[in-house]
Amino acid sequence: MSDIQSPAESTPSSDGPAQTMRALQFSEYGPPRDVIREVRIPVPAPGPDEVLVRVKAAGLNPYDWHFYRGDPYLVRLTTGLRQHRKPRVAGADFSGTVARVGANVTQFSIGDHVFGEQDQGGAVAEFVAVAAEKVAVMPQSASFEEAAAVPMGALTATAALRKSGRLESGQSVLVNGASGGVGVFAVQLARAWGATRVVGVCSGPNSELVLSLGADAVIDYTRENYWEREETFDLMVDTQHSQPLRLSLKAIRPGGTYALVGGGGGKLMGPGGPMMRALAQGIVRRHRVAGVMAKPSGADLATVAKLIDDGTVTVPIEAAYDWGDAAAAFERLESNRVSGKLVIRI
Ligand SMILES: NC(=O)c1ccc[n+]([C@@H]2O[C@H](COP(=O)([O-])OP(=O)(O)OC[C@H]3O[C@@H](n4cnc5c(N)ncnc54)[C@H](OP(=O)(O)O)[C@@H]3O)[C@@H](O)[C@H]2O)c1
């Protein structure tokens, strides 16, 4: 991956010969510098319910490294035990312009600025084909880099707060991992959707960021245990699962909800392990325990886009990388230390 060049512009044509594009692809499992390769492959042909997007920027998520590392092994049940059954293009989140629309697509036109999540992979490429229902028009005020940084983080925060968390106006919310890709949106969306008190758990250097997003207070996890405070919360959104469920539940009022997003877990099950344990234990306790399963949704992205345009939600980006520095971007992604989001310019 060290000799990645800037991608040449390619133009899809419906009647000409098959066009090709540059993409970052993998078929083996392993570290990014070993397994992710620049390839030239055909521009995907959008199906009748899909749009083809010329990608301008790709946003990164831990989801991406789970696939190229095959870690946890649970992932390999769907992708292949020793190597990927078929090569996969890296990345899920993207922003760009619509280059072609499928026959059944009426809500988008060629040239529209859009963003979305292709959960089958494919965002770190010149073009991505994706179901139109997973796409929304970009916030007018956002750059391509900002828009690409939104989808999975904001959709997961939406699922954690509204679907799993059943957040109601006037409630209090504790976000563990508040400075991460999901946490930065959970803090802001909790506030936007009526939480009267939002507290973020993060390390000292990230406190300023989390407070700037609207948190009332932060708990520096290197100095204080969030479960030992007197204060309890209606809802805890846990993106890190840094503590066993029995401790986290101490931070939630009786009848309140614990929404487990991810983090923790071993090589076999990854976050799926703690999630299943948490769900099993939740049955016998005085709290609601919910596992968050976020899905791509253009409708939910459109809601977030409005909140970005009216200034309620901002998009914190730690760094934007050029195509040739993608390996460094993926290595940083794996650190579990990213503040906000990472983006690759396409
Ligand atoms: N269930 C779903 O549908 C779903 C969807 C998306 C993501 N996920 C999962 O959710 C998890 C979080 O995703 P993400 O995008 O937010 O990850 P991320 O951006 O990589 O998270 C990094 C952040 O976590 C913070 N952090 C690390 N250890 C911490 C600790 N012990 N306590 C509090 N904060 C800590 C880091 O801050 P410091 O450097 O200050 O420690 C950093 O800001 C991942 O496991 C991901 O796979 C699940």
Side-chain angles (χ1 to χ4, degrees):
M1 242 179 106
S2 51
D3 59 346
I4 291 170
Q5 309 291 314
S6 290
E9 291 281 306
S10 307
T11 310
S13 149
S14 51
D15 39 19
Q19 299 281 316
T20 61
M21 65 174 189
R22 289 188 185 185
L24 297 189
Q25 195 182 63
F26 49 90
S27 40
E28 311 283 321
Y29 295 118
R33 277 183 206 276
D34 292 353
V35 300
I36 300 181
R37 310 250 175 262
E38 181 181 315
V39 291
R40 187 163 276 281
I41 53 176
V43 171
D49 299 311
E50 292 186 325
V51 290
L52 181 70
V53 177
R54 180 188 287 275
V55 182
K56 299 285 188 184
L60 303 189
N61 297 279
Y63 184 82
D64 305 329
W65 70 254
H66 291 310
F67 278 95
Y68 64 70
R69 288 230 174 228
D71 177 355
Y73 287 116
L74 190 64
V75 167
R76 303 188 187 198
L77 289 180
T78 54
T79 56
L81 288 182
R82 290 176 182 277
Q83 63 172 52
H84 286 262
R85 284 187 205 102
K86 54 180 186 182
R88 184 179 172 108
V89 174
D93 286 352
F94 63 85
S95 66
T97 55
V98 174
R100 200 183 286 171
V101 294
N104 300 336
V105 176
T106 53
Q107 67 271 48
F108 298 110
S109 305
I110 289 173
D112 284 353
H113 289 198
V114 294
F115 68 144
E117 178 189 328
Q118 174 44 292
D119 52 342
Q120 305 301 308
V124 192
E126 288 180 283
F127 293 92
V128 62
V130 54
E133 65 181 13
K134 297 179 180 177
V135 175
V137 172
M138 265 173 55
Q140 286 185 349
S141 58
S143 65
F144 284 114
E145 289 170 18
E146 287 168 329
V150 171
M152 195 177 291
L155 290 170
T156 305
T158 299
L161 293 166
R162 286 200 147 160
K163 292 165 192 160
S164 306
R166 300 179 194 165
L167 176 67
E168 289 173 18
S169 198
Q171 290 191 322
S172 58
V173 179
L174 178 68
V175 180
N176 188 29
S179 54
V182 177
V184 292
F185 292 107
V187 167
Q188 297 182 87
L189 292 173
R191 177 62 83 210
W193 291 331
T196 42
R197 184 160 167 82
V198 180
V199 175
V201 181
C202 62
S203 67
N206 283 322
S207 298
E208 207 175 309
L209 166 70
V210 174
L211 289 170
S212 77
L213 300 174
D216 297 285
V218 293
I219 300 172
D220 176 352
Y221 69 83
T222 65
R223 293 167 169 267
E224 189 184 353
N225 294 326
Y226 61 82
W227 63 93
E228 287 176 347
R229 284 195 155 193
E230 293 219 340
E231 180 178 19
T232 56
F233 296 83
D234 295 302
L235 168 64
M236 176 175 177
V237 174
D238 192 353
T239 75
Q240 291 296 320
H241 194 67
S242 48
Q243 303 301 327
L245 179 66
R246 70 186 161 75
L247 292 183
S248 289
L249 292 181
K250 291 180 190 241
I252 304 170
R253 68 157 176 80
T257 300
Y258 173 80
L260 177 57
V261 173
K267 280 256 175 204
L268 191 61
M269 302 280 282
M275 201 170 292
M276 278 161 63
R277 271 198 304 281
L279 288 171
Q281 291 169 25
I283 293 166
V284 295
R285 294 181 189 265
R286 289 184 303 154
H287 300 89
R288 271 190 69 242
V289 173
V292 177
M293 296 299 278
K295 287 190 184 147
S297 160
D300 286 348
L301 276 181
T303 300
V304 176
K306 280 198 193 110
L307 294 169
I308 292 173
D309 272 338
D310 73 15
T312 305
V313 169
T314 59
V315 186
I317 295 179
E318 179 189 283
Y321 294 79
D322 289 325
W323 178 270
D325 297 326
F330 286 114
E331 284 170 349
R332 177 64 183 158
L333 174 71
E334 292 185 34
S335 71
N336 201 31
R337 296 270 86 82
V338 177
S339 300
K341 300 292 302 182
L342 302 177
V343 171
I344 297 175
R345 300 185 197 97
I346 308 296

